[in-house]
Amino acid sequence: MNFDWKDFVRLAENLMNHHDEASLRSAISRAYYGVFCISRNKKGFKNYKLKKGENIHWIIINKYKNSYDKNEKIVGKYLDDLRRNRNYSDYDEDETIDFKIAQRVLIKTKKILDNLGINL
């Protein structure tokens, strides 16, 4: 049985009910990884084998950003934004992560899913 990446997005929604910073940071991280893996799989990179020096996140984000499809371009822009937020959340203890930031991440996550035609 395959893991459903939408479960990470649902977990992120549940974590938003807690207003402590650890939960908000975790919500951002789970939202990003859930929607990233969904986007990756939609582009046919589910089992992609990386070559040395490649970064799958940049590969996928750029595939969407450089698409001729308007909806895919939006997906690429939002994925790029979410990756930046995820990096702050996961690595930068000096960056304050509050409810508003986490809420914006969840809104963009849902817009990505909508643009990909995926229901949560």
Side-chain angles (χ1 to χ4, degrees), residues 15-27 97-99:
L15 287 166
M16 292 289 293
N17 293 324
H18 307 279
H19 291 268
D20 62 286
E21 192 168 0
S23 294
L24 297 175
R25 285 176 179 268
S26 297
I97 304 298
D98 62 18
F99 185 80

Side-chain angles (χ1 to χ4, degrees), residues 3-42:
F3 180 72
D4 185 352
W5 294 109
K6 291 185 285 186
D7 287 344
F8 268 5
V9 178
R10 291 181 192 108
L11 175 60
E13 289 178 319
N14 290 333
L15 287 166
M16 292 289 293
N17 293 324
H18 307 279
H19 291 268
D20 62 286
E21 192 168 0
S23 294
L24 297 175
R25 285 176 179 268
S26 297
I28 290 169
S29 185
R30 294 304 86 197
Y32 171 73
Y33 276 110
V35 79
F36 168 77
C37 289
I38 291 166
S39 301
R40 177 200 64 195
N41 293 353
K42 277 286 243 193

